[in-house]
Amino acid sequence: MSDTLRQIPPQIPADEYPLRWRRVQQMMAAEQLDLLIAYADDRAVFGPAHARWLANFPVHFEPACIVLARSGKPMLLCGPESDQYALLAGRIHDVYILREFTHPDEDYPFSQIRSLAEVVAALVGEPRSLRRAGIAGRGLIGYDFFAALQQALPGVEWLDVETAMCNLRARKSGAEQAVIRYAYTIAEAGIAAAVAAIAPGVTEREIAAAAEAAMRHAGAEGTGIDTIVASGPNARPILGRSTFRRIEQNDLVLLTVAPRYEGYHAAIGRPVLVGSPDPQAERALEVAVQAQLACRAALRPGVEGRVVEAVGRRIVDDAGLGQYFLYSGVHSVGVIEFEPPIFGPSSSAAIAQDMVISVDIPIFNAPWGGLRIEDGYLITDSGAQPLHDTPFVIRR
């Protein structure tokens, strides 16, 4: 293990969470919200984001939500098997078991279970006094829970604040930057282990296992997306998965790793050339590297992200590969691996200092397969600082 990985890993300090609550309350005041409900669950990629950012609570098995009034401290509501872990790991001390998060066939005779109406009354008093409430994570909420919210808060006007919450997270604090830097160190370890495991006859899943073991050993708590090891025809789709396919001589092997560390992510994508793959694949790799470097040079505060994305897209298009550039490849990185703001052609969002930006140059669904070159950058006052140093061209 490197000296970097032997150091005490960076953490988000406890005193940063009350600062986040106050920022949310300032947004609530600006939007004239009396209450905010931030929902979270353990679905991959997007599910845990609000609970992790507001409470450092890694949601698992049962859903959770944070309830915050315009003043005071938040409550965390969870299922009956999560409360003690939420108290142990989280930063919110008022934790309640919510009846709406219990299973109808389970009994918990020693748990104190409250209804949503009881919890709201304890936080703000008479629910009928509330006029406007914000809801974050609305796209994750099931029908039954949203119906319970409407019943507990009759007459309330609901405002979707998902974008507003993501905007609050877009610029990273010094502690967040340190955690994300470390996540990229973990990602580099995963890429290195995967590359070392690649050889003809080895299965994709064996390579993925090597990458994930290295990342776990380095401190990863999991992944933001499933580790991608896709070879030959399996590299053609955008979201490949590892299979029992064995690497063959002259394959292109696509690697994408996205470890989660302290709730935060890093993502590195690289193709590995085994032997002598299709010359069209090697040419596409050269184009993708050129696009990546051009986007890096264009990243700076105040520039609309879609301008940066257009730089890479134009290079790929000029090379005759534009039809394979299938998605917006410039986005923020944080408690979601693919976190808004996402800087596609239809977005007017601007790059800002202290953002962490991933530039993903995608070339997929091509006759020869697919690849991505994905790198992460910290936006400084003058440009973009790379967060890792992985070679662009890797041969085995």
Side-chain angles (χ1 to χ4, degrees):
M1 184 184 295
S2 70
D3 290 341
T4 301
L5 295 179
R6 291 185 185 279
Q7 297 172 4
I8 297 175
Q11 313 282 313
I12 303 297
D15 59 7
E16 187 156 316
Y17 292 91
L19 299 177
R20 297 177 181 182
W21 305 337
R22 286 196 285 275
R23 288 171 62 197
V24 173
Q25 288 168 329
Q26 290 168 358
M27 179 271 289
M28 293 172 64
E31 297 289 347
Q32 299 183 330
L33 300 176
D34 302 307
L35 196 69
L36 183 134
I37 306 285
Y39 180 89
D41 60 29
D42 62 357
R43 273 175 278 189
V45 187
F46 292 91
H50 294 304
R52 201 63 191 265
W53 192 73
L54 288 169
N56 194 38
F57 177 49
V59 188
H60 186 63
F61 187 65
E62 299 173 322
C65 68
I66 289 86
V67 183
L68 191 61
R70 202 184 293 187
S71 62
K73 295 180 179 180
M75 291 179 175
L76 189 148
L77 312 179
C78 61
E81 298 188 27
S82 302
D83 60 323
Q84 292 305 305
Y85 190 72
L87 288 167
L88 178 68
R91 298 303 184 187
I92 294 177
H93 302 301
D94 291 330
V95 176
Y96 298 97
I97 299 171
L98 190 64
R99 185 176 307 282
E100 286 79 1
F101 288 161
T102 61
H103 193 284
D105 297 330
E106 288 279 8
D107 294 309
Y108 296 93
F110 303 106
S111 297
Q112 185 176 3
I113 300 173
R114 293 174 169 83
S115 69
L116 188 58
E118 290 173 316
V119 170
V120 171
L123 184 65
V124 298
E126 173 53 53
R128 294 185 183 276
S129 67
L130 303 178
R131 294 290 177 262
R132 284 165 60 89
I135 189 161
R138 188 182 70 170
L140 301 171
I141 295 175
Y143 174 83
D144 288 345
F145 185 61
F146 192 69
L149 285 172
Q150 292 177 310
Q151 184 176 359
L153 299 167
V156 163
E157 177 189 357
W158 291 96
L159 182 70
D160 188 340
V161 294
E162 181 69 18
T163 298
M165 291 291 290
C166 290
N167 288 340
L168 290 178
R169 300 198 301 259
R171 300 181 67 172
K172 304 302 189 284
S173 69
E176 288 178 302
Q177 292 174 30
V179 163
I180 294 172
R181 281 183 184 278
Y182 195 80
Y184 274 98
T185 300
I186 294 171
E188 285 186 288
I191 288 284
V195 170
I198 291 174
V202 178
T203 69
E204 294 172 347
R205 288 190 179 172
E206 289 173 314
I207 297 164
E212 292 181 3
M215 291 191 293
R216 280 285 192 175
H217 190 66
E221 63 187 56
T223 59
I225 60 170
D226 287 352
T227 300
I228 296 175
V229 179
S231 62
N234 293 345
R236 186 172 291 114
I238 294 170
L239 292 176
R241 292 292 185 272
S242 61
T243 70
F244 289 112
R245 184 183 186 275
R246 296 186 183 276
I247 307 302
E248 297 179 4
Q249 191 66 33
N250 303 327
D251 264 348
L252 180 149
V253 182
L254 174 61
L255 303 177
T256 307
V257 299
R260 180 187 291 120
Y261 169 70
E262 296 300 298
Y264 289 80
H265 299 90
I268 301 176
R270 289 291 186 272
V272 178
L273 307 174
V274 181
S276 300
D278 189 319
Q280 294 183 76
E282 296 212 35
R283 176 175 172 270
L285 172 56
E286 293 173 1
V287 172
V289 170
Q290 183 184 355
Q292 177 69 229
L293 293 173
C295 287
R296 176 194 298 185
L299 283 169
R300 61 185 184 275
V303 174
E304 286 188 358
R306 62 184 171 188
V307 173
V308 177
E309 200 257 11
V311 168
R313 188 178 289 274
R314 188 177 307 114
I315 289 171
V316 175
D317 190 53
D318 288 347
L321 299 170
Q323 63 183 313
Y324 307 126
F325 197 120
L326 298 181
Y327 56 84
S328 301
V330 182
H331 59 85
S332 183
V333 177
V335 290
I336 301 172
E337 184 274 328
F338 198 90
E339 183 169 75
I342 297 167
F343 303 100
S346 62
S347 170
S348 61
I351 305 291
Q353 184 175 344
D354 298 327
M355 285 183 172
V356 175
I357 301 296
S358 184
V359 175
D360 177 0
I361 305 299
I363 300 178
F364 287 102
N365 290 359
W368 47 266
L371 60 83
R372 68 166 49 84
I373 295 289
E374 184 167 9
D375 286 348
Y377 302 96
L378 172 66
I379 304 303
T380 68
D381 59 353
S382 59
Q385 183 182 99
L387 292 172
H388 64 100
D389 189 25
T390 306
F392 289 124
V393 179
I394 305 172
R395 296 184 182 273
R396 292 290 290 166

